[in-house]
Amino acid sequence: MEGKKTVRAAERALDILLCFTRQPELSLTEIARMTELNKSTVYRLLATLEEKGFLARDAETDKYRLGFRIWELSAHLSRTDDPALLFLPEMERLRDKIEETVSLYVRDGLERIRVQAVESLQAIRRVAPVGARMPLSVGAAGKVLAAFAEPAVRAQILADPDWPENVDKSDYLRQLDQIRRDGYATSVEEREAGTSAVSVPIFGRNGNILAALAVSGPVGRLTLERMEEVVPHIIEAAGRMQKMLTN
């Protein structure tokens, strides 16, 4: 009987994790409704999942999102299961075509993390260490992740106490609107002197943004004109990556 209870608890915990395939952030009430469990049960399971690092809770909104223990587990997935590995050949193909560094970013709260990178083969190139954390307020990939996030997420980003003083919020919101219309973002020396970047979104099965695919390089080589030229190639690559997730 005790073993049966343990299995049931595991099923309920997994049901909670699966809720996040539909929305990136959820409240206790929303999770209880989606799993059809009472709130006290959900609360205990959420506390355990948070303690183990599978979920993270935003103290301001009291909403939960997937924690980075999920990414730790994904490091042991095969190439055919882990998007960071699954997308690698496509990223290498894009790098060879454009001849600049290609990176893959995901959002973690109010930051973005580079989870995969393929560096340019040129002598002067953009070095992109995997695992690096960066803000969402600046940079092409950060703006893409913010532009296609849920409105509540954008509100959290704007309310960030560490928001850079030199970034005007009204202008930032106008940029996000333009990015949603254009389907891509550009940046020139926004985060790092001498570097420019262009980025497009990659969407998951549920239509929510999964990651940002970015190309970066020296400003003298990756000019605004050059970025306009390569955007179709980046969008094509992102489209093929999305198909890998749905096939």
Side-chain angles (χ1 to χ4, degrees):
M1 185 70 175
E2 188 64 28
K4 192 171 183 180
K5 287 182 180 178
T6 303
V7 170
R8 182 56 180 150
E11 289 177 351
R12 289 172 169 175
L14 291 171
D15 285 341
I16 287 174
L17 290 176
L18 288 171
C19 289
F20 293 87
T21 63
R22 288 178 268 175
Q23 285 183 240
E25 294 189 321
L26 293 165
S27 67
L28 185 154
T29 300
E30 290 169 329
I31 294 169
R33 183 177 67 249
M34 293 167 75
T35 58
E36 298 183 348
L37 297 171
N38 64 63
K39 288 185 179 181
S40 61
T41 299
V42 172
Y43 179 81
R44 290 194 299 271
L45 290 168
L46 287 173
T48 300
L49 290 168
E50 183 182 5
E51 181 181 352
K52 294 294 185 180
F54 289 97
L55 291 179
R57 185 177 67 87
D58 187 304
E60 292 186 6
T61 64
D62 207 26
K63 287 196 172 188
Y64 294 82
R65 55 179 168 75
L66 292 175
F68 265 74
R69 183 57 61 87
I70 298 293
W71 283 97
E72 285 185 50
L73 288 176
S74 73
H76 298 282
L77 290 172
S78 70
R79 178 179 291 268
T80 58
D81 294 322
D82 180 9
L85 292 175
L86 182 66
F87 295 163
L88 188 56
E90 193 63 52
M91 293 174 69
E92 290 173 339
R93 185 195 307 182
L94 182 62
R95 184 271 313 275
D96 293 343
K97 179 177 290 186
I98 297 177
E99 300 183 325
E100 299 293 355
T101 295
V102 179
S103 299
L104 186 71
Y105 294 89
V106 298
R107 184 178 68 84
D108 178 31
L110 300 180
E111 295 180 305
R112 56 185 164 113
I113 298 179
R114 185 184 290 118
V115 295
Q116 187 61 279
V118 180
E119 292 188 5
S120 168
L121 299 177
Q122 302 204 53
I124 299 175
R125 62 183 181 272
R126 172 79 171 86
V127 177
V130 172
R133 286 178 173 268
M134 286 154 275
L136 296 169
S137 53
V138 292
K143 291 186 292 187
V144 160
L145 290 169
F148 292 96
E150 297 291 325
V153 173
R154 290 198 293 276
Q156 291 176 45
I157 295 168
L158 290 168
D160 184 0
D162 295 324
W163 182 269
E165 294 181 0
N166 63 331
V167 179
D168 182 79
K169 292 184 179 181
S170 296
D171 182 59
Y172 178 77
L173 286 173
R174 283 192 293 270
Q175 288 186 58
L176 298 190
D177 288 339
Q178 189 64 48
I179 291 165
R180 285 192 293 275
R181 288 193 292 270
D182 295 341
Y184 68 93
T186 61
S187 63
V188 178
E189 297 187 300
E190 286 188 9
R191 195 187 65 82
E192 186 177 343
T195 300
S196 56
V198 54
S199 180
V200 307
I202 298 174
F203 297 100
R205 292 184 181 88
N206 57 8
N208 291 327
I209 186 166
L210 172 71
L213 179 64
V215 170
S216 58
V219 291
R221 202 167 60 220
L222 193 59
T223 61
L224 284 171
E225 292 77 11
R226 176 60 177 158
M227 286 191 271
E228 293 289 342
E229 291 174 4
V230 302
V231 161
H233 299 300
I234 307 172
I235 291 175
E236 282 181 20
R240 287 191 289 268
M241 292 176 182
Q242 287 176 198
K243 287 182 180 178
M244 292 178 190
L245 297 174
T246 56
N247 288 343

